[in-house]
Amino acid sequence: MQNRIIAFFNTIHIALVYLAQILMIAMVLIIFINVVLRYVFNSGLMWSEEVALLLAVWFIFIAMIIGVKQDLHINISVLPKRILTPKVLFLLNKTKNLVVLFIATVMLVDGFKLVQFTMASIMPATKLPAGLLYAILPISAIIMIYESLMDLFNVDTNDHAVDAFLSGKGDSHAR
């Protein structure tokens, strides 16, 4: 059962990496086309800013998920290396996992409320529910909670196989 859950979340992680690439390309294309239309043809796409914002928000939260999975947080070393014994490093790492878990839990609870509240609002240009803009909050929170719990309890999530697959050096069965 545990291996299935790990495989499921690793598959989601791989899909999110590809989705982030697609979102970035789409965002750049939409903004580029709108700039060309605006400055060359004196017209623009009415919906481009809303869609670009939606893509940017989703991209940012997907990047945050990837950052949690790959442990890419900004770290500031304020303690001298001589006091960073393995025990201190272990405690700092567990504290970091608990902070991420807390933040992700707040994101899940309040993000779900925000999505519910804004689903009734409509974005003016695209006529899409405004809740779509915020729907990534609870989604990213669930994945961040999973990742922080796996790190907290030292569960091997087969990250090396995911990294190998994404770099083109592994196969799809490594997940």
Side-chain angles (χ1 to χ4, degrees):
M1 180 68 170
Q2 179 180 347
N3 289 339
R4 284 187 189 170
I5 293 170
I6 290 170
F8 172 75
F9 277 97
N10 285 345
T11 302
I12 287 175
H13 178 74
I14 290 169
L16 287 174
V17 170
Y18 290 127
L19 179 60
Q21 292 172 346
I22 291 167
L23 292 175
M24 181 59 79
I25 291 168
M27 189 172 31
V28 168
L29 285 175
I30 289 169
I31 292 170
F32 175 75
I33 290 169
N34 196 43
V35 167
V36 169
L37 287 173
R38 187 170 292 160
Y39 290 105
V40 176
F41 300 104
N42 289 327
S43 70
L45 303 170
M46 296 297 293
W47 51 266
S48 66
E49 288 182 38
E50 276 182 16
V51 173
L53 177 65
L54 180 72
L55 297 176
V57 169
W58 276 68
F59 175 81
I60 289 165
F61 279 92
I62 289 171
M64 187 169 53
I65 295 167
I66 294 168
V68 169
K69 171 96 173 149
Q70 300 296 327
D71 199 27
L72 299 173
H73 311 294
I74 295 174
N75 295 305
I76 301 172
S77 298
V78 293
L79 300 174
K81 288 193 181 230
R82 66 180 179 276
I83 67 167
L84 293 178
T85 63
K87 186 175 183 178
V88 171
L89 288 172
F90 176 81
L91 289 173
L92 288 173
N93 188 44
K94 296 304 175 191
T95 302
K96 176 198 71 167
N97 291 328
L98 289 171
V99 169
V100 170
L101 182 62
F102 174 75
I103 291 170
T105 304
V106 170
M107 282 175 50
L108 178 63
V109 172
D110 291 338
F112 186 71
K113 291 176 188 174
L114 183 62
V115 170
Q116 284 182 318
F117 182 72
T118 57
M119 271 306 196
S121 300
I122 303 296
M123 292 189 277
T126 59
K127 307 297 184 215
L128 293 171
L132 289 178
L133 186 64
Y134 307 108
I136 191 65
L137 271 167
I139 294 168
S140 62
I142 290 168
I143 299 169
M144 287 172 54
I145 288 169
Y146 162 80
E147 294 297 342
S148 61
L149 286 172
M150 295 297 107
D151 283 346
L152 191 63
F153 295 111
N154 294 322
V155 176
D156 180 15
T157 56
N158 210 9
D159 288 344
H160 63 281
V162 172
D163 293 341
F165 177 78
L166 289 170
S167 67
K169 298 175 186 164
D171 62 3
S172 61
H173 302 292
R175 290 177 275 170

